[in-house]
Amino acid sequence: MKNNIDVTYVDELIDKFVVLGDDKVCQAMRYSLESGGKRVRPLLLLNVCNGICGNISENAQRLAVALECVHTYSLIHDDLPCMDNDVLRRGKPTCHVAYGETAAVLAGDGLLSYAMQIALGGNFAETNYSLACKFLFDRCGVGGMILGQTLDIFGQTNNVLQANDVALHKTADLFRAAIVCGGITSGVTDSQLQTLDEIAQKLGVAFQVVDDLLDVDKCEKSFLSVLSKNDCVAYAEQLTAEALQLIQCLPYDLTYLQNFAQFNLKRTK
Ligand code: GRG
């Protein structure tokens, strides 16, 4: 069992696997990758591995870093003038404000390609690694995170079902990639993978509900546009309780997941 799977450890893995040049696009990629993200998704993946098999393989490290690259690209593109047009992210100028729109588009593209390069550089002789790579990139694509963004931008969010559908793809799909890939690389059974997937969906939607509660200015296309504040809190609590119950069905030490689920309800950023 490894101790201290924390933000510092994830940062070390990012330094190990993301080796960039010094041109403007690489600078923009580095700027966003190193601007204070919480590293939620890689931490979930690595801690699930550690809790299940007490070991973190290089393949798992690669998937964790690839996932953070995908997450970072999604934020850069989401902030662009043609999407949310945000000027601040994590209290700092967004990538396109700091480096210009063209470099920011390319930085997002670069991070997505880099994620594939890191994942494809892994050891495919290891059981089920190809399955883990497929699962990760399926969850990023047009049936996953991109679908979430498509529903968010071009669809309607008039009721809880629609808001839930957006959150399941925009947010929960990368949580599924994290938690299920942690399970795949640790060799759990298919039925345990199914349970991990259900836990991930509940935690992912709960994360988005709390995100909307923390961003009260965003009144459109938010859980707050279809539920009262109290009902949002109750919904996040209900999803968390369901996730915690499912975690207890698994025969592993998943204390990290339990703590994360509770922490999410109290987080302030
Ligand atoms: C690929 C064109 C394109 C768009 C990407 C999904 C998406 C579309 C953008 C993500 C924008 C967004 C706000 C998604 C919701 C998920 C979410 C709550 C993101 C913030 O995650 P944190 O809190 O971020 O983990 P940090 O800053 O800690 O890395």
PDB file of all heavy atoms in Angstrom, residues 20-51:
ATOM      1  N   LEU A  20       7.182  18.829 -22.332  1.00  0.00           N
ATOM      2  CA  LEU A  20       6.794  19.723 -23.422  1.00  0.00           C
ATOM      3  C   LEU A  20       7.936  20.635 -23.834  1.00  0.00           C
ATOM      4  O   LEU A  20       8.835  20.914 -23.032  1.00  0.00           O
ATOM      5  CB  LEU A  20       5.609  20.589 -22.970  1.00  0.00           C
ATOM      6  CG  LEU A  20       4.318  19.841 -22.616  1.00  0.00           C
ATOM      7  CD1 LEU A  20       3.332  20.768 -21.932  1.00  0.00           C
ATOM      8  CD2 LEU A  20       3.708  19.229 -23.877  1.00  0.00           C
ATOM      9  N   GLY A  21       7.873  21.132 -25.046  1.00  0.00           N
ATOM     10  CA  GLY A  21       8.850  22.111 -25.536  1.00  0.00           C
ATOM     11  C   GLY A  21       8.567  23.486 -24.946  1.00  0.00           C
ATOM     12  O   GLY A  21       7.868  23.602 -23.936  1.00  0.00           O
ATOM     13  N   ASP A  22       9.078  24.511 -25.611  1.00  0.00           N
ATOM     14  CA  ASP A  22       8.920  25.839 -25.038  1.00  0.00           C
ATOM     15  C   ASP A  22       8.216  26.809 -25.984  1.00  0.00           C
ATOM     16  O   ASP A  22       8.268  28.009 -25.792  1.00  0.00           O
ATOM     17  CB  ASP A  22      10.298  26.379 -24.618  1.00  0.00           C
ATOM     18  CG  ASP A  22      10.136  27.420 -23.523  1.00  0.00           C
ATOM     19  OD1 ASP A  22       9.191  27.294 -22.712  1.00  0.00           O
ATOM     20  OD2 ASP A  22      10.932  28.386 -23.521  1.00  0.00           O
ATOM     21  N   ASP A  23       7.605  26.260 -27.044  1.00  0.00           N
ATOM     22  CA  ASP A  23       6.895  27.183 -27.953  1.00  0.00           C
ATOM     23  C   ASP A  23       5.623  27.686 -27.270  1.00  0.00           C
ATOM     24  O   ASP A  23       5.256  27.225 -26.189  1.00  0.00           O
ATOM     25  CB  ASP A  23       6.587  26.483 -29.293  1.00  0.00           C
ATOM     26  CG  ASP A  23       5.739  25.246 -29.091  1.00  0.00           C
ATOM     27  OD1 ASP A  23       4.575  25.397 -28.668  1.00  0.00           O
ATOM     28  OD2 ASP A  23       6.245  24.119 -29.306  1.00  0.00           O
ATOM     29  N   LYS A  24       4.954  28.619 -27.946  1.00  0.00           N
ATOM     30  CA  LYS A  24       3.820  29.298 -27.311  1.00  0.00           C
ATOM     31  C   LYS A  24       2.692  28.322 -26.912  1.00  0.00           C
ATOM     32  O   LYS A  24       2.098  28.454 -25.833  1.00  0.00           O
ATOM     33  CB  LYS A  24       3.282  30.351 -28.290  1.00  0.00           C
ATOM     34  CG  LYS A  24       2.234  31.262 -27.706  1.00  0.00           C
ATOM     35  CD  LYS A  24       1.902  32.367 -28.692  1.00  0.00           C
ATOM     36  CE  LYS A  24       0.673  33.121 -28.249  1.00  0.00           C
ATOM     37  NZ  LYS A  24       0.966  34.465 -27.783  1.00  0.00           N
ATOM     38  N   VAL A  25       2.419  27.350 -27.774  1.00  0.00           N
ATOM     39  CA  VAL A  25       1.322  26.425 -27.456  1.00  0.00           C
ATOM     40  C   VAL A  25       1.704  25.529 -26.266  1.00  0.00           C
ATOM     41  O   VAL A  25       0.888  25.296 -25.361  1.00  0.00           O
ATOM     42  CB  VAL A  25       0.931  25.599 -28.707  1.00  0.00           C
ATOM     43  CG1 VAL A  25      -0.039  24.484 -28.343  1.00  0.00           C
ATOM     44  CG2 VAL A  25       0.310  26.520 -29.752  1.00  0.00           C
ATOM     45  N   CYS A  26       2.949  25.079 -26.242  1.00  0.00           N
ATOM     46  CA  CYS A  26       3.399  24.271 -25.091  1.00  0.00           C
ATOM     47  C   CYS A  26       3.359  25.097 -23.805  1.00  0.00           C
ATOM     48  O   CYS A  26       2.985  24.585 -22.741  1.00  0.00           O
ATOM     49  CB  CYS A  26       4.813  23.735 -25.333  1.00  0.00           C
ATOM     50  SG  CYS A  26       4.858  22.402 -26.550  1.00  0.00           S
ATOM     51  N   GLN A  27       3.717  26.366 -23.906  1.00  0.00           N
ATOM     52  CA  GLN A  27       3.638  27.234 -22.712  1.00  0.00           C
ATOM     53  C   GLN A  27       2.193  27.344 -22.229  1.00  0.00           C
ATOM     54  O   GLN A  27       1.916  27.299 -21.031  1.00  0.00           O
ATOM     55  CB  GLN A  27       4.155  28.635 -23.047  1.00  0.00           C
ATOM     56  CG  GLN A  27       5.664  28.727 -23.132  1.00  0.00           C
ATOM     57  CD  GLN A  27       6.111  30.124 -23.577  1.00  0.00           C
ATOM     58  OE1 GLN A  27       5.459  31.116 -23.280  1.00  0.00           O
ATOM     59  NE2 GLN A  27       7.222  30.187 -24.282  1.00  0.00           N
ATOM     60  N   ALA A  28       1.273  27.472 -23.190  1.00  0.00           N
ATOM     61  CA  ALA A  28      -0.145  27.598 -22.818  1.00  0.00           C
ATOM     62  C   ALA A  28      -0.654  26.291 -22.197  1.00  0.00           C
ATOM     63  O   ALA A  28      -1.421  26.311 -21.227  1.00  0.00           O
ATOM     64  CB  ALA A  28      -0.980  27.966 -24.051  1.00  0.00           C
ATOM     65  N   MET A  29      -0.194  25.157 -22.752  1.00  0.00           N
ATOM     66  CA  MET A  29      -0.586  23.849 -22.183  1.00  0.00           C
ATOM     67  C   MET A  29      -0.105  23.756 -20.742  1.00  0.00           C
ATOM     68  O   MET A  29      -0.836  23.365 -19.831  1.00  0.00           O
ATOM     69  CB  MET A  29       0.034  22.702 -22.999  1.00  0.00           C
ATOM     70  CG  MET A  29      -0.582  22.524 -24.376  1.00  0.00           C
ATOM     71  SD  MET A  29       0.452  21.518 -25.478  1.00  0.00           S
ATOM     72  CE  MET A  29       0.242  19.879 -24.809  1.00  0.00           C
ATOM     73  N   ARG A  30       1.169  24.112 -20.528  1.00  0.00           N
ATOM     74  CA  ARG A  30       1.768  24.027 -19.187  1.00  0.00           C
ATOM     75  C   ARG A  30       1.058  24.978 -18.217  1.00  0.00           C
ATOM     76  O   ARG A  30       0.787  24.632 -17.067  1.00  0.00           O
ATOM     77  CB  ARG A  30       3.264  24.371 -19.283  1.00  0.00           C
ATOM     78  CG  ARG A  30       4.097  23.677 -18.240  1.00  0.00           C
ATOM     79  CD  ARG A  30       5.581  23.946 -18.378  1.00  0.00           C
ATOM     80  NE  ARG A  30       6.196  23.379 -19.552  1.00  0.00           N
ATOM     81  CZ  ARG A  30       6.712  24.069 -20.581  1.00  0.00           C
ATOM     82  NH1 ARG A  30       6.689  25.384 -20.582  1.00  0.00           N
ATOM     83  NH2 ARG A  30       7.264  23.449 -21.595  1.00  0.00           N
ATOM     84  N   TYR A  31       0.757  26.181 -18.701  1.00  0.00           N
ATOM     85  CA  TYR A  31       0.079  27.191 -17.878  1.00  0.00           C
ATOM     86  C   TYR A  31      -1.215  26.616 -17.292  1.00  0.00           C
ATOM     87  O   TYR A  31      -1.470  26.710 -16.087  1.00  0.00           O
ATOM     88  CB  TYR A  31      -0.219  28.412 -18.751  1.00  0.00           C
ATOM     89  CG  TYR A  31      -1.059  29.488 -18.097  1.00  0.00           C
ATOM     90  CD1 TYR A  31      -0.501  30.397 -17.199  1.00  0.00           C
ATOM     91  CD2 TYR A  31      -2.426  29.608 -18.386  1.00  0.00           C
ATOM     92  CE1 TYR A  31      -1.272  31.395 -16.611  1.00  0.00           C
ATOM     93  CE2 TYR A  31      -3.214  30.594 -17.809  1.00  0.00           C
ATOM     94  CZ  TYR A  31      -2.627  31.481 -16.916  1.00  0.00           C
ATOM     95  OH  TYR A  31      -3.396  32.463 -16.329  1.00  0.00           O
ATOM     96  N   SER A  32      -2.014  25.983 -18.149  1.00  0.00           N
ATOM     97  CA  SER A  32      -3.299  25.479 -17.648  1.00  0.00           C
ATOM     98  C   SER A  32      -3.133  24.208 -16.824  1.00  0.00           C
ATOM     99  O   SER A  32      -3.846  24.004 -15.839  1.00  0.00           O
ATOM    100  CB  SER A  32      -4.252  25.214 -18.821  1.00  0.00           C
ATOM    101  OG  SER A  32      -4.622  26.449 -19.389  1.00  0.00           O
ATOM    102  N   LEU A  33      -2.180  23.388 -17.222  1.00  0.00           N
ATOM    103  CA  LEU A  33      -1.954  22.134 -16.486  1.00  0.00           C
ATOM    104  C   LEU A  33      -1.407  22.402 -15.079  1.00  0.00           C
ATOM    105  O   LEU A  33      -1.610  21.609 -14.161  1.00  0.00           O
ATOM    106  CB  LEU A  33      -0.971  21.285 -17.294  1.00  0.00           C
ATOM    107  CG  LEU A  33      -0.965  19.768 -17.139  1.00  0.00           C
ATOM    108  CD1 LEU A  33      -2.352  19.170 -17.247  1.00  0.00           C
ATOM    109  CD2 LEU A  33      -0.046  19.153 -18.195  1.00  0.00           C
ATOM    110  N   GLU A  34      -0.726  23.542 -14.935  1.00  0.00           N
ATOM    111  CA  GLU A  34      -0.064  23.814 -13.649  1.00  0.00           C
ATOM    112  C   GLU A  34      -0.672  25.003 -12.912  1.00  0.00           C
ATOM    113  O   GLU A  34       0.013  25.664 -12.146  1.00  0.00           O
ATOM    114  CB  GLU A  34       1.442  24.074 -13.895  1.00  0.00           C
ATOM    115  CG  GLU A  34       2.155  22.824 -14.392  1.00  0.00           C
ATOM    116  CD  GLU A  34       3.598  23.085 -14.842  1.00  0.00           C
ATOM    117  OE1 GLU A  34       4.039  24.259 -14.735  1.00  0.00           O
ATOM    118  OE2 GLU A  34       4.237  22.130 -15.295  1.00  0.00           O
ATOM    119  N   SER A  35      -1.968  25.279 -13.160  1.00  0.00           N
ATOM    120  CA  SER A  35      -2.509  26.493 -12.538  1.00  0.00           C
ATOM    121  C   SER A  35      -3.436  26.195 -11.361  1.00  0.00           C
ATOM    122  O   SER A  35      -4.416  26.898 -11.141  1.00  0.00           O
ATOM    123  CB  SER A  35      -3.220  27.347 -13.582  1.00  0.00           C
ATOM    124  OG  SER A  35      -4.364  26.670 -14.038  1.00  0.00           O
ATOM    125  N   GLY A  36      -3.106  25.141 -10.610  1.00  0.00           N
ATOM    126  CA  GLY A  36      -3.794  24.956  -9.317  1.00  0.00           C
ATOM    127  C   GLY A  36      -5.058  24.121  -9.331  1.00  0.00           C
ATOM    128  O   GLY A  36      -5.926  24.315  -8.475  1.00  0.00           O
ATOM    129  N   GLY A  37      -5.172  23.185 -10.256  1.00  0.00           N
ATOM    130  CA  GLY A  37      -6.336  22.289 -10.241  1.00  0.00           C
ATOM    131  C   GLY A  37      -6.296  21.373  -9.024  1.00  0.00           C
ATOM    132  O   GLY A  37      -5.223  21.087  -8.480  1.00  0.00           O
ATOM    133  N   LYS A  38      -7.454  20.885  -8.626  1.00  0.00           N
ATOM    134  CA  LYS A  38      -7.523  20.031  -7.429  1.00  0.00           C
ATOM    135  C   LYS A  38      -7.056  18.609  -7.721  1.00  0.00           C
ATOM    136  O   LYS A  38      -6.868  17.817  -6.806  1.00  0.00           O
ATOM    137  CB  LYS A  38      -8.977  19.984  -6.914  1.00  0.00           C
ATOM    138  CG  LYS A  38      -9.483  21.329  -6.420  1.00  0.00           C
ATOM    139  CD  LYS A  38     -10.874  21.246  -5.817  1.00  0.00           C
ATOM    140  CE  LYS A  38     -11.989  21.021  -6.815  1.00  0.00           C
ATOM    141  NZ  LYS A  38     -12.142  22.067  -7.840  1.00  0.00           N
ATOM    142  N   ARG A  39      -6.929  18.241  -8.998  1.00  0.00           N
ATOM    143  CA  ARG A  39      -6.467  16.898  -9.430  1.00  0.00           C
ATOM    144  C   ARG A  39      -7.435  15.806  -8.975  1.00  0.00           C
ATOM    145  O   ARG A  39      -7.000  14.681  -8.637  1.00  0.00           O
ATOM    146  CB  ARG A  39      -5.056  16.578  -8.887  1.00  0.00           C
ATOM    147  CG  ARG A  39      -3.987  17.656  -9.081  1.00  0.00           C
ATOM    148  CD  ARG A  39      -3.742  17.968 -10.497  1.00  0.00           C
ATOM    149  NE  ARG A  39      -2.480  18.692 -10.713  1.00  0.00           N
ATOM    150  CZ  ARG A  39      -2.236  19.433 -11.791  1.00  0.00           C
ATOM    151  NH1 ARG A  39      -3.150  19.584 -12.732  1.00  0.00           N
ATOM    152  NH2 ARG A  39      -1.080  20.024 -11.954  1.00  0.00           N
ATOM    153  N   VAL A  40      -8.719  16.151  -8.940  1.00  0.00           N
ATOM    154  CA  VAL A  40      -9.721  15.209  -8.425  1.00  0.00           C
ATOM    155  C   VAL A  40      -9.698  13.873  -9.171  1.00  0.00           C
ATOM    156  O   VAL A  40      -9.700  12.799  -8.555  1.00  0.00           O
ATOM    157  CB  VAL A  40     -11.132  15.854  -8.538  1.00  0.00           C
ATOM    158  CG1 VAL A  40     -12.238  14.819  -8.372  1.00  0.00           C
ATOM    159  CG2 VAL A  40     -11.280  16.965  -7.516  1.00  0.00           C
ATOM    160  N   ARG A  41      -9.683  13.925 -10.510  1.00  0.00           N
ATOM    161  CA  ARG A  41      -9.833  12.684 -11.292  1.00  0.00           C
ATOM    162  C   ARG A  41      -8.627  11.761 -11.174  1.00  0.00           C
ATOM    163  O   ARG A  41      -8.800  10.564 -10.902  1.00  0.00           O
ATOM    164  CB  ARG A  41     -10.188  13.041 -12.748  1.00  0.00           C
ATOM    165  CG  ARG A  41     -11.550  13.747 -12.815  1.00  0.00           C
ATOM    166  CD  ARG A  41     -11.667  14.774 -13.926  1.00  0.00           C
ATOM    167  NE  ARG A  41     -12.829  15.643 -13.749  1.00  0.00           N
ATOM    168  CZ  ARG A  41     -12.844  16.726 -12.961  1.00  0.00           C
ATOM    169  NH1 ARG A  41     -11.753  17.106 -12.292  1.00  0.00           N
ATOM    170  NH2 ARG A  41     -13.948  17.453 -12.830  1.00  0.00           N
ATOM    171  N   PRO A  42      -7.387  12.268 -11.350  1.00  0.00           N
ATOM    172  CA  PRO A  42      -6.250  11.365 -11.124  1.00  0.00           C
ATOM    173  C   PRO A  42      -6.187  10.839  -9.695  1.00  0.00           C
ATOM    174  O   PRO A  42      -5.843   9.669  -9.472  1.00  0.00           O
ATOM    175  CB  PRO A  42      -5.016  12.217 -11.460  1.00  0.00           C
ATOM    176  CG  PRO A  42      -5.480  13.615 -11.568  1.00  0.00           C
ATOM    177  CD  PRO A  42      -6.945  13.566 -11.885  1.00  0.00           C
ATOM    178  N   LEU A  43      -6.556  11.675  -8.725  1.00  0.00           N
ATOM    179  CA  LEU A  43      -6.526  11.200  -7.328  1.00  0.00           C
ATOM    180  C   LEU A  43      -7.527  10.069  -7.118  1.00  0.00           C
ATOM    181  O   LEU A  43      -7.233   9.090  -6.420  1.00  0.00           O
ATOM    182  CB  LEU A  43      -6.827  12.355  -6.368  1.00  0.00           C
ATOM    183  CG  LEU A  43      -5.660  13.326  -6.153  1.00  0.00           C
ATOM    184  CD1 LEU A  43      -6.099  14.544  -5.337  1.00  0.00           C
ATOM    185  CD2 LEU A  43      -4.507  12.614  -5.446  1.00  0.00           C
ATOM    186  N   LEU A  44      -8.691  10.189  -7.745  1.00  0.00           N
ATOM    187  CA  LEU A  44      -9.674   9.107  -7.627  1.00  0.00           C
ATOM    188  C   LEU A  44      -9.118   7.836  -8.248  1.00  0.00           C
ATOM    189  O   LEU A  44      -9.155   6.759  -7.636  1.00  0.00           O
ATOM    190  CB  LEU A  44     -10.989   9.497  -8.317  1.00  0.00           C
ATOM    191  CG  LEU A  44     -11.862  10.530  -7.586  1.00  0.00           C
ATOM    192  CD1 LEU A  44     -13.011  11.000  -8.483  1.00  0.00           C
ATOM    193  CD2 LEU A  44     -12.433   9.941  -6.295  1.00  0.00           C
ATOM    194  N   LEU A  45      -8.572   7.943  -9.449  1.00  0.00           N
ATOM    195  CA  LEU A  45      -8.061   6.744 -10.141  1.00  0.00           C
ATOM    196  C   LEU A  45      -6.955   6.059  -9.320  1.00  0.00           C
ATOM    197  O   LEU A  45      -7.000   4.851  -9.057  1.00  0.00           O
ATOM    198  CB  LEU A  45      -7.547   7.158 -11.535  1.00  0.00           C
ATOM    199  CG  LEU A  45      -7.262   6.047 -12.535  1.00  0.00           C
ATOM    200  CD1 LEU A  45      -7.332   6.584 -13.976  1.00  0.00           C
ATOM    201  CD2 LEU A  45      -5.934   5.366 -12.342  1.00  0.00           C
ATOM    202  N   LEU A  46      -5.986   6.854  -8.883  1.00  0.00           N
ATOM    203  CA  LEU A  46      -4.818   6.281  -8.193  1.00  0.00           C
ATOM    204  C   LEU A  46      -5.201   5.714  -6.825  1.00  0.00           C
ATOM    205  O   LEU A  46      -4.703   4.656  -6.410  1.00  0.00           O
ATOM    206  CB  LEU A  46      -3.734   7.359  -8.031  1.00  0.00           C
ATOM    207  CG  LEU A  46      -3.162   7.908  -9.354  1.00  0.00           C
ATOM    208  CD1 LEU A  46      -2.413   9.215  -9.110  1.00  0.00           C
ATOM    209  CD2 LEU A  46      -2.253   6.881 -10.030  1.00  0.00           C
ATOM    210  N   ASN A  47      -6.098   6.412  -6.126  1.00  0.00           N
ATOM    211  CA  ASN A  47      -6.488   5.917  -4.802  1.00  0.00           C
ATOM    212  C   ASN A  47      -7.378   4.694  -4.882  1.00  0.00           C
ATOM    213  O   ASN A  47      -7.343   3.844  -3.979  1.00  0.00           O
ATOM    214  CB  ASN A  47      -7.164   7.034  -3.994  1.00  0.00           C
ATOM    215  CG  ASN A  47      -6.128   7.952  -3.353  1.00  0.00           C
ATOM    216  OD1 ASN A  47      -5.441   7.549  -2.414  1.00  0.00           O
ATOM    217  ND2 ASN A  47      -5.987   9.165  -3.875  1.00  0.00           N
ATOM    218  N   VAL A  48      -8.182   4.592  -5.947  1.00  0.00           N
ATOM    219  CA  VAL A  48      -8.974   3.374  -6.132  1.00  0.00           C
ATOM    220  C   VAL A  48      -8.027   2.200  -6.356  1.00  0.00           C
ATOM    221  O   VAL A  48      -8.165   1.134  -5.745  1.00  0.00           O
ATOM    222  CB  VAL A  48      -9.991   3.547  -7.295  1.00  0.00           C
ATOM    223  CG1 VAL A  48     -10.563   2.204  -7.739  1.00  0.00           C
ATOM    224  CG2 VAL A  48     -11.137   4.460  -6.854  1.00  0.00           C
ATOM    225  N   CYS A  49      -7.018   2.394  -7.213  1.00  0.00           N
ATOM    226  CA  CYS A  49      -6.008   1.334  -7.432  1.00  0.00           C
ATOM    227  C   CYS A  49      -5.366   0.916  -6.120  1.00  0.00           C
ATOM    228  O   CYS A  49      -5.260  -0.262  -5.802  1.00  0.00           O
ATOM    229  CB  CYS A  49      -4.855   1.853  -8.288  1.00  0.00           C
ATOM    230  SG  CYS A  49      -5.207   1.893  -9.988  1.00  0.00           S
ATOM    231  N   ASN A  50      -4.920   1.915  -5.387  1.00  0.00           N
ATOM    232  CA  ASN A  50      -4.210   1.638  -4.149  1.00  0.00           C
ATOM    233  C   ASN A  50      -5.098   0.887  -3.158  1.00  0.00           C
ATOM    234  O   ASN A  50      -4.656  -0.068  -2.515  1.00  0.00           O
ATOM    235  CB  ASN A  50      -3.741   2.962  -3.539  1.00  0.00           C
ATOM    236  CG  ASN A  50      -2.584   2.803  -2.595  1.00  0.00           C
ATOM    237  OD1 ASN A  50      -1.739   1.931  -2.792  1.00  0.00           O
ATOM    238  ND2 ASN A  50      -2.532   3.629  -1.565  1.00  0.00           N
ATOM    239  N   GLY A  51      -6.361   1.302  -3.081  1.00  0.00           N
ATOM    240  CA  GLY A  51      -7.283   0.663  -2.146  1.00  0.00           C
ATOM    241  C   GLY A  51      -7.623  -0.756  -2.557  1.00  0.00           C
ATOM    242  O   GLY A  51      -7.877  -1.606  -1.710  1.00  0.00           O
TER     243      GLY A  51
END
